[in-house]
Amino acid sequence: MSTGDSSGNPPGRPRHGYLGPPGTFCQMALDAWPDPQEAEHVPCDSVLAALDALRAGTLDAAMVPIENSVEGGVSATLDALSVGSDVVIVGEVLVPVTFVIAARPGLTLEEVRAVGTHSHGWAQVRRWVAANLPTAAYLPTLSTAAAAAGLDPRGPSVVAYDAAVCAPVAARIHGLHILAADIGDSSAAVTRFVLVAAPGQTPPPTGADKTTLVLYQRDDHPGGLLELLEQFAARGVNLTRLESRPTGEAMGSYCFSVDVEGHIADARVAETLMGLKRVCTQVRYLGSYARADGRRTPPVEGTTDSDFTGARAWLGSLLAR
Amino acid sequence: MSTGDSSGNPPGRPRHGYLGPPGTFCQMALDAWPDPQEAEHVPCDSVLAALDALRAGTLDAAMVPIENSVEGGVSATLDALSVGSDVVIVGEVLVPVTFVIAARPGLTLEEVRAVGTHSHGWAQVRRWVAANLPTAAYLPTLSTAAAAAGLDPRGPSVVAYDAAVCAPVAARIHGLHILAADIGDSSAAVTRFVLVAAPGQTPPPTGADKTTLVLYQRDDHPGGLLELLEQFAARGVNLTRLESRPTGEAMGSYCFSVDVEGHIADARVAETLMGLKRVCTQVRYLGSYARADGRRTPPVEGTTDSDFTGARAWLGSLLAR
Amino acid sequence: MSTGDSSGNPPGRPRHGYLGPPGTFCQMALDAWPDPQEAEHVPCDSVLAALDALRAGTLDAAMVPIENSVEGGVSATLDALSVGSDVVIVGEVLVPVTFVIAARPGLTLEEVRAVGTHSHGWAQVRRWVAANLPTAAYLPTLSTAAAAAGLDPRGPSVVAYDAAVCAPVAARIHGLHILAADIGDSSAAVTRFVLVAAPGQTPPPTGADKTTLVLYQRDDHPGGLLELLEQFAARGVNLTRLESRPTGEAMGSYCFSVDVEGHIADARVAETLMGLKRVCTQVRYLGSYARADGRRTPPVEGTTDSDFTGARAWLGSLLAR
Amino acid sequence: MSTGDSSGNPPGRPRHGYLGPPGTFCQMALDAWPDPQEAEHVPCDSVLAALDALRAGTLDAAMVPIENSVEGGVSATLDALSVGSDVVIVGEVLVPVTFVIAARPGLTLEEVRAVGTHSHGWAQVRRWVAANLPTAAYLPTLSTAAAAAGLDPRGPSVVAYDAAVCAPVAARIHGLHILAADIGDSSAAVTRFVLVAAPGQTPPPTGADKTTLVLYQRDDHPGGLLELLEQFAARGVNLTRLESRPTGEAMGSYCFSVDVEGHIADARVAETLMGLKRVCTQVRYLGSYARADGRRTPPVEGTTDSDFTGARAWLGSLLAR
């Protein structure tokens, strides 16, 4: 990765990494992140490279994709967050995924012979391509932005494709002409990016928060997952995402990657975390942060902070007398 | 009830009530209770009378029946514990229920025409009576001991029965001759008595404890009880008795009377109590006390006090950094 | 019991037993039962006697109390239904429990020295008695109606009490004068009676039905009851009563007596029964019958008969192709 | 995809597609599949292309990757199975994922400047590369086998990399020299492939089977997933994989992709399927098939076929009488 000349970094201006090169959806996410300190945006080669730089201290934060409304959880990110020293998610950004097909000025759609893009981008424009460019070849690139960069008229012409599927911003950056816009098969496609930082930076609760966890079950037996979910249900905590993930040790050995509504500072989430800690082999806390959609879901009856405080006071009164 | 001459009560010698008159199984329970202070034993007319005297302060404790291995929960006791000012169970005693049929010396079994006993006692000797005294009439009495007392040769002969079904001790106290022993239909019958005291006297945990609760559900809906039981399951707390009890407000309005393994001072029980407090309309704590059978059931994995302490320390470390 | 001269029973007119003598709340229940065949009403000495006569074939049905809004489940009935050859509940009747205190004409309330009644009746008028007859003695009788019968001016005067607590009808039958009416401590008290018959007479579903079961757990372990309740929850079946009942084998060995909404002919109840059969040591089916209150609770989504039929057809289509 | 000259296909010899080109792990899976009919192996361009050909009838079956012990569920396959006309999994194959780095004969490891491979393969050799080829560039290819093919000495030399990360078989096919073997970061990595066929070909149960499903929840509410899992728990069916998958409609709208132990012909699985059908908006059955590892997990107590048959017979006896 190119983390730049860190010696030239003015003190106080933080460095935020993203999945480069410039023009990726990930950069769009970082641009959309409210950032009063005007952090420097540093392109990284991969999710792992970005998180490694964060862990090494050469980055202050990293924006990485975690979930795609079409493709689901981004395995590389989920796994890179789960191993290595602790990092925490401090925020999330939703980026609508809008694809264009772009080429050097002068080329028409009919003239396109080969298309370059990232395999994930390619997967999301299949239907459009089948209908409009049925005979075009496909060449994988490292990112959708890299596909556009390869065609930049200001650079050398070495790539074996003549059109790129990329974000509108990438076409603009690289001086390409848009042959067709909004060519994604799902018009509602959106990617969820998370901003990751070193531990100790959990933002305060906003009332519309999410908490991300990785849970390792003690053993695999019928009803095991049900028992685990009881820890959530007993405190009225709702899951918004649940994925069993291979632990990498053996096929069939899983952990669970989950998102829940609420913040670690909420009593119902805190007690759930402690309950999970007791019944799991390992619980990895990956952060509490404001929801990008700002949706507030009021706690179910009996699970507000004051319900927990009241219950504790009542218990105290029983023990004291 | 006859709570005796309280002015003559030497200071420091406590007064323990029981369901009188002398000779009841309840007195046997009180006799079996380890009591270094040698409390005065005070017969009471009814469970309610005993608990009223306790609440009024004229008794220091009351021994009352709570469950019978043949008949189930003793409704009068369960209900008397559930309403009125708080009292707590501080111990339990199991008394084998062994019935004899006894009469004034000289009478033979063949000569018995009518039998007096409490209706619960009568219910437990039905089969023996059907086989051995098929034509005998039955006269209900206030207690099995009262049946024996009515025949005491030292008293007046006014009762309309000539034999009593009672505990062996009652026959002895009242100078009766035992016509047949061990006549109960169930040879394993046992009654569970509990010693009840004013709040603030919860005995320390022994590792083989029980806690008694009354739970009032927030509302009645499919799966409501399941949700309530999740509070126990999420902390590995086992129930040893569960009874839905009418609240008395309307047919179909219930609360739950439950016994669980463990002591309020055990973290898993304490957190369960707080969880129930949150999800129930009302939780009535009726005491934690040593099990009469001394059976220790080791906490399931992840539910020891140190598991709870460890989980809290871990949570603290997440919040602190 | 006095099952009468069965030879004089005209063919075709059925015989229905009840807890006698005439004037009991149980007779009121039988009177309230819609009975186009005008069955002969036969008083029985006890619940067990009534059920024994039914099992022996000398009765065609028996009306017995099963639950009281003040006292809870009637142990004797629950247990008598659970052992012995199979019988089934075919209907239920709710009888408001209204007590009067009655005496021979001429006696005033102030003159009452001793009160006779059944111990359950006595328990339900405690507060009124404490306020109005604080010094009166109590004499137990075999039933509230028997208390009234003992004072019948047409009979001998041998009882040791001078007033009876009983149902209004019992006072009327026995020519007594009502000294005070509506003296029950709970004005909403109601007793639930069930009509029991030989197997094979389950009435057709009405859409507002109840099913009564006795469940014997395979073994006692934490979460065991939860697993059992999952059988209900997985099919959307709601419980309206649940009581752990001692099996009589040992203290701590329980079965569960439950009422659920719905009829054995409803697919959701049928599949629940089969599920319970698989996970329990024993399941005793005690009948499906119309609810006395006629309350219809529509099945939760996905649990109607057509949902079950549809699911089976879908499964068939998967297997067939 | 190149489904070949179907007119030349001798009658009776089936055509099985796989993710080409020759030399992929997917071909290894197909080679490992016991196939008495000696099907023709047809390379396809993508999972979607293979399944489309199957659905169009130009293939008889398709071998596709479904889960990787390192990367988790293969999104493209899971999603391609979930939409479009029904297809069913008829078997699974586990292929150990062993990577080599290979080049044209003559090149040494020290001389490698750029590495070509599929992005998933690249993700699995990161650590080895960081340690041994820290300065090498990465060029994405359509598959690991395509990376090897690009270096085939018999073909033109047009690729911009000089070494390929691929399966040993791909190196062999394309006449490459292996520079280093077993370079995967996880020595236990294995990929699970499934053979997919048209509906109606569910293989018979073997006693060691798996069933794959996609479940669409009726709505999202706290405890919703718990209710869904109760359908499994109530019949003792164990899950071996569970992933929430975006439905593609909106971020936060999920379905669940699950594998369970057992076969649709097993009563416990069949009843679970019907239960899920009732409580879900949609259930997609993706097949029952023999486990590749042959592991038999005996049904938990009360869930064998004869338990189900016995329960049904018992229910019938209750309804019949």
Side-chain angles (χ1 to χ4, degrees):
Chain A
M1 63 161 285
S2 55
T3 49
D5 177 12
S6 75
S7 63
N9 198 30
R13 191 172 168 217
R15 291 164 54 81
H16 288 182
Y18 70 94
L19 213 57
T24 57
F25 291 103
C26 194
Q27 190 194 25
M28 291 170 67
L30 200 44
D31 287 342
W33 180 250
D35 177 16
Q37 294 181 285
E38 299 189 0
E40 182 186 356
H41 291 187
V42 183
C44 301
D45 285 355
S46 69
V47 169
L48 199 58
L51 294 180
D52 280 351
L54 172 66
R55 282 170 171 137
T58 55
L59 285 179
D60 297 292
M63 184 67 78
V64 292
I66 196 167
E67 190 183 8
N68 184 288
S69 70
V70 174
E71 299 248 334
V74 177
S75 305
T77 302
L78 291 172
D79 292 345
L81 289 172
S82 298
V83 295
S85 68
D86 283 353
V87 290
V88 292
I89 299 171
V90 297
E92 67 172 5
V93 178
L94 299 179
V95 176
V97 176
T98 319
F99 290 106
V100 298
I101 182 162
R104 290 191 173 186
L107 195 83
T108 65
L109 189 58
E110 289 68 32
E111 293 168 325
V112 172
R113 292 291 161 264
V115 179
T117 196
H118 188 267
S119 58
H120 287 178
W122 187 242
Q124 294 182 48
V125 298
R126 293 255 168 186
R127 260 178 294 183
W128 185 91
V129 168
N132 295 279
L133 290 172
T135 61
Y138 164 56
L139 283 124
T141 58
L142 284 167
S143 65
T144 55
L151 293 175
D152 195 316
R154 290 156 294 190
S157 181
V158 296
V159 296
Y161 54 86
D162 41 27
V165 168
C166 58
V169 66
R172 188 168 41 73
I173 288 174
H174 293 293
L176 302 185
H177 178 63
I178 292 175
L179 301 176
D182 228 345
I183 66 171
D185 295 336
S186 166
S187 61
V190 68
T191 295
R192 183 182 155 219
F193 291 86
V194 289
L195 190 68
V196 181
Q201 306 185 38
T202 291
T206 66
D209 306 290
K210 228 184 238 184
T211 296
T212 299
L213 305 170
V214 185
L215 311 173
Y216 296 79
Q217 248 186 312
R218 192 163 280 141
D219 52 28
D220 180 42
H221 62 282
L225 176 57
L226 201 69
E227 284 168 25
L228 207 147
L229 294 183
E230 274 172 6
Q231 298 296 330
F232 296 93
R235 287 92 178 183
V237 171
N238 193 25
L239 282 85
T240 59
R241 186 180 57 81
L242 169 67
E243 291 177 78
S244 62
R245 300 273 316 140
T247 61
E249 282 160 29
M251 183 61 80
S253 172
Y254 295 94
C255 60
F256 295 98
S257 171
V258 304
D259 291 344
V260 305
E261 288 176 350
H263 192 282
I264 189 176
D266 294 335
R268 67 187 182 285
V269 175
E271 195 181 287
T272 301
L273 282 173
M274 291 190 286
L276 292 167
K277 180 71 178 169
R278 291 187 291 100
V279 302
C280 291
T281 299
Q282 193 198 331
V283 176
R284 190 156 183 137
Y285 165 72
L286 289 182
S288 289
Y289 46 91
R291 295 176 66 127
D293 61 10
R295 208 173 86 190
R296 289 165 181 276
T297 44
V300 295
E301 204 174 356
T303 66
T304 65
D305 279 9
S306 73
D307 288 323
F308 277 83
T309 310
R312 185 160 293 280
W314 168 77
L315 181 76
S317 75
L318 296 179
L319 291 168
R321 71 192 184 186
Chain B
M1 66 162 280
S2 55
T3 49
D5 177 14
S6 75
S7 64
N9 198 30
R13 192 173 168 216
R15 291 162 55 80
H16 287 181
Y18 69 95
L19 214 57
T24 57
F25 289 102
C26 194
Q27 190 194 25
M28 291 170 66
L30 200 45
D31 287 344
W33 179 250
D35 177 16
Q37 294 181 284
E38 298 188 1
E40 181 185 358
H41 290 188
V42 183
C44 302
D45 285 354
S46 68
V47 168
L48 198 59
L51 294 181
D52 279 351
L54 172 65
R55 282 170 171 138
T58 55
L59 285 180
D60 296 292
M63 184 68 79
V64 292
I66 196 168
E67 192 184 6
N68 184 288
S69 70
V70 174
E71 300 248 334
V74 177
S75 305
T77 301
L78 290 173
D79 292 345
L81 289 172
S82 299
V83 295
S85 68
D86 283 353
V87 291
V88 290
I89 300 170
V90 295
E92 67 172 5
V93 178
L94 300 178
V95 177
V97 176
T98 320
F99 290 104
V100 299
I101 183 163
R104 291 191 171 185
L107 196 82
T108 64
L109 189 58
E110 291 68 33
E111 292 167 325
V112 172
R113 292 291 160 264
V115 179
T117 195
H118 188 267
S119 57
H120 288 178
W122 187 241
Q124 294 182 49
V125 297
R126 293 253 167 188
R127 262 177 293 183
W128 186 91
V129 168
N132 295 279
L133 290 172
T135 61
Y138 164 55
L139 283 122
T141 59
L142 284 166
S143 67
T144 55
L151 293 175
D152 195 317
R154 288 156 294 188
S157 180
V158 295
V159 296
Y161 54 87
D162 41 25
V165 168
C166 59
V169 64
R172 187 167 43 73
I173 288 174
H174 294 292
L176 303 185
H177 178 62
I178 291 175
L179 302 176
D182 229 344
I183 65 171
D185 296 335
S186 166
S187 62
V190 68
T191 294
R192 182 182 157 221
F193 291 87
V194 289
L195 191 67
V196 181
Q201 305 185 38
T202 291
T206 66
D209 306 290
K210 227 183 237 185
T211 296
T212 298
L213 305 170
V214 186
L215 311 173
Y216 295 79
Q217 249 186 311
R218 193 163 280 142
D219 52 29
D220 180 41
H221 62 282
L225 176 57
L226 201 69
E227 284 169 25
L228 207 148
L229 294 183
E230 273 172 6
Q231 297 297 329
F232 296 93
R235 288 92 179 185
V237 171
N238 193 25
L239 283 86
T240 59
R241 186 180 57 82
L242 169 68
E243 292 177 78
S244 63
R245 301 273 314 141
T247 61
E249 282 161 29
M251 182 61 81
S253 172
Y254 295 93
C255 59
F256 294 98
S257 171
V258 304
D259 290 345
V260 304
E261 287 176 353
H263 192 281
I264 190 176
D266 295 335
R268 68 187 181 284
V269 175
E271 194 181 287
T272 301
L273 281 173
M274 290 189 286
L276 292 167
K277 180 71 178 171
R278 291 187 292 99
V279 302
C280 291
T281 299
Q282 195 197 331
V283 177
R284 193 158 181 134
Y285 166 71
L286 289 181
S288 289
Y289 47 91
R291 295 175 65 126
D293 61 11
R295 206 173 86 191
R296 287 163 184 275
T297 44
V300 294
E301 204 175 356
T303 67
T304 65
D305 279 9
S306 73
D307 288 321
F308 276 84
T309 309
R312 185 162 293 280
W314 168 78
L315 181 76
S317 75
L318 296 180
L319 290 168
R321 71 193 184 187
Chain C
M1 65 161 284
S2 54
T3 48
D5 178 12
S6 74
S7 63
N9 198 30
R13 191 171 168 217
R15 291 163 53 82
H16 288 180
Y18 69 96
L19 215 56
T24 57
F25 291 102
C26 194
Q27 189 193 26
M28 290 170 66
L30 201 43
D31 286 344
W33 179 252
D35 178 16
Q37 294 180 284
E38 299 189 359
E40 182 186 357
H41 291 188
V42 183
C44 303
D45 285 353
S46 68
V47 168
L48 200 58
L51 295 181
D52 279 351
L54 171 65
R55 283 169 170 137
T58 55
L59 284 180
D60 297 292
M63 183 68 77
V64 292
I66 195 168
E67 192 184 6
N68 184 289
S69 70
V70 175
E71 300 246 335
V74 177
S75 306
T77 302
L78 291 173
D79 292 344
L81 289 172
S82 298
V83 296
S85 69
D86 283 352
V87 290
V88 291
I89 300 172
V90 295
E92 67 174 3
V93 178
L94 299 178
V95 177
V97 176
T98 318
F99 290 106
V100 299
I101 183 163
R104 290 191 172 187
L107 195 82
T108 65
L109 189 60
E110 290 69 32
E111 292 168 327
V112 171
R113 292 290 159 266
V115 179
T117 196
H118 188 267
S119 58
H120 286 178
W122 188 241
Q124 293 181 51
V125 298
R126 291 254 169 188
R127 261 178 293 182
W128 186 91
V129 168
N132 295 279
L133 290 172
T135 60
Y138 164 55
L139 283 123
T141 58
L142 284 167
S143 67
T144 55
L151 293 175
D152 195 317
R154 289 156 294 190
S157 179
V158 295
V159 295
Y161 53 87
D162 40 27
V165 168
C166 59
V169 65
R172 187 168 44 73
I173 289 175
H174 293 292
L176 302 184
H177 178 63
I178 291 175
L179 301 175
D182 228 344
I183 66 171
D185 295 336
S186 166
S187 61
V190 69
T191 295
R192 183 181 155 218
F193 292 86
V194 288
L195 191 68
V196 182
Q201 305 185 37
T202 291
T206 67
D209 306 289
K210 230 184 236 182
T211 296
T212 298
L213 305 170
V214 185
L215 311 173
Y216 296 79
Q217 249 186 310
R218 192 163 281 142
D219 51 28
D220 181 41
H221 63 282
L225 177 56
L226 201 68
E227 284 169 25
L228 206 146
L229 294 184
E230 274 171 6
Q231 298 296 329
F232 296 94
R235 288 92 178 184
V237 171
N238 193 27
L239 282 84
T240 59
R241 186 179 58 82
L242 169 68
E243 292 177 78
S244 63
R245 302 273 316 143
T247 60
E249 281 160 29
M251 181 63 79
S253 172
Y254 294 95
C255 61
F256 294 98
S257 172
V258 304
D259 289 346
V260 304
E261 288 175 351
H263 191 283
I264 191 175
D266 294 334
R268 68 186 181 284
V269 175
E271 194 182 285
T272 300
L273 282 173
M274 289 189 287
L276 292 166
K277 180 71 178 170
R278 290 187 293 100
V279 301
C280 291
T281 300
Q282 193 198 332
V283 176
R284 191 157 181 134
Y285 166 72
L286 289 182
S288 290
Y289 47 92
R291 295 175 66 128
D293 61 11
R295 208 173 85 190
R296 287 164 183 276
T297 44
V300 295
E301 205 173 354
T303 66
T304 63
D305 279 9
S306 73
D307 289 320
F308 276 84
T309 309
R312 184 161 294 280
W314 169 78
L315 181 76
S317 75
L318 296 180
L319 290 168
R321 69 193 186 184
Chain D
M1 67 161 282
S2 54
T3 49
D5 177 15
S6 75
S7 63
N9 197 31
R13 191 170 169 219
R15 291 163 55 81
H16 289 181
Y18 70 94
L19 214 54
T24 58
F25 291 102
C26 195
Q27 190 193 27
M28 291 170 66
L30 201 44
D31 286 343
W33 179 251
D35 177 18
Q37 294 181 284
E38 298 189 2
E40 180 186 358
H41 291 188
V42 183
C44 302
D45 286 353
S46 68
V47 169
L48 200 59
L51 295 180
D52 279 351
L54 171 65
R55 283 170 171 137
T58 55
L59 285 180
D60 296 293
M63 183 68 77
V64 292
I66 196 167
E67 192 184 5
N68 183 289
S69 70
V70 174
E71 300 246 334
V74 177
S75 305
T77 302
L78 291 172
D79 292 344
L81 289 172
S82 298
V83 295
S85 69
D86 284 353
V87 290
V88 293
I89 300 171
V90 297
E92 66 172 5
V93 178
L94 299 178
V95 176
V97 176
T98 318
F99 290 104
V100 298
I101 183 163
R104 289 190 172 188
L107 196 82
T108 66
L109 190 57
E110 291 67 32
E111 292 168 325
V112 171
R113 293 290 160 264
V115 179
T117 195
H118 189 266
S119 57
H120 286 177
W122 188 242
Q124 294 181 51
V125 297
R126 293 254 167 188
R127 261 177 294 183
W128 185 91
V129 168
N132 296 279
L133 290 172
T135 61
Y138 164 55
L139 283 122
T141 57
L142 283 166
S143 66
T144 55
L151 293 175
D152 195 317
R154 290 156 292 190
S157 179
V158 296
V159 295
Y161 54 86
D162 41 24
V165 168
C166 59
V169 66
R172 186 167 44 74
I173 288 174
H174 294 293
L176 302 184
H177 178 62
I178 291 174
L179 301 175
D182 228 345
I183 66 172
D185 296 335
S186 167
S187 61
V190 69
T191 294
R192 182 182 157 221
F193 292 87
V194 289
L195 191 68
V196 181
Q201 304 185 38
T202 291
T206 66
D209 305 290
K210 228 184 240 185
T211 296
T212 298
L213 305 170
V214 185
L215 311 173
Y216 295 79
Q217 247 187 311
R218 192 163 281 141
D219 51 29
D220 180 41
H221 62 281
L225 176 58
L226 201 69
E227 285 168 25
L228 207 148
L229 294 183
E230 274 171 6
Q231 298 296 331
F232 296 93
R235 288 91 178 184
V237 172
N238 193 25
L239 282 84
T240 59
R241 186 180 58 82
L242 169 67
E243 291 178 78
S244 62
R245 301 272 316 141
T247 60
E249 283 162 27
M251 182 62 81
S253 172
Y254 295 94
C255 60
F256 295 98
S257 171
V258 305
D259 289 345
V260 305
E261 288 175 353
H263 192 282
I264 190 174
D266 294 334
R268 67 187 182 285
V269 175
E271 195 182 287
T272 300
L273 281 174
M274 290 189 286
L276 293 166
K277 180 72 178 169
R278 290 187 293 99
V279 303
C280 291
T281 298
Q282 194 198 332
V283 177
R284 191 157 181 133
Y285 166 71
L286 289 182
S288 289
Y289 46 93
R291 295 175 65 127
D293 61 10
R295 206 172 89 190
R296 288 164 181 275
T297 44
V300 295
E301 203 174 357
T303 66
T304 63
D305 279 8
S306 74
D307 289 321
F308 276 84
T309 309
R312 185 161 294 279
W314 170 78
L315 181 77
S317 75
L318 295 179
L319 290 167
R321 70 192 187 189

